[in-house]
Amino acid sequence: MLLRDIAHLRTGDKGDVSQISVIAFSTEDYALLESEVTVERLLDHLPNISVRHAHRYELPNLGALNFVLEGALTGGVTRSLALDAHGKSLGAQLLDLPVGDAQNLSVMDKAV
């Protein structure tokens, strides 16, 4: 399954910092988010961004994870030449992250 099957996102930005909140649709799925949506997996899934520091904050009472990506917006809205200087597309890309059994499939298995 993909992250979009069990969670939704909210994104925000301030200057050169992008924030992505991953919120489980169901409290039962929070444990899966907590174990599989790590900073490392997020950065591997978004290889085209350059991040100075990445932090993950866990909010179990909300069933959410909050990622703060410093330097992800190449200067921010007013300074970046990036097509999406706000970083909203980062959240849309993250929704395609495989979670659960799907992350263990090989590339060939996913193509079938």
Side-chain angles (χ1 to χ4, degrees), residues 5 11 13 23 36-37 39 41 43-44 46 50 53 59-60 62 70 72 83-87 91 94 104-105 112:
D5 296 325
T11 61
D13 53 76
I23 306 133
E36 295 198 20
V37 186
V39 167
R41 288 205 62 219
L43 294 176
D44 285 346
L46 304 171
S50 177
H53 298 286
L59 304 151
L62 299 176
E70 298 176 24
L83 187 59
D84 178 19
H86 291 279
L94 186 58
N104 298 320
L105 297 176
V112 174

Side-chain angles (χ1 to χ4, degrees), residues 76-94:
V77 176
T78 59
R79 299 183 69 195
S80 176
L81 297 177
L83 187 59
D84 178 19
H86 291 279
K88 292 187 184 339
S89 67
L90 298 177
Q93 290 173 327
L94 186 58

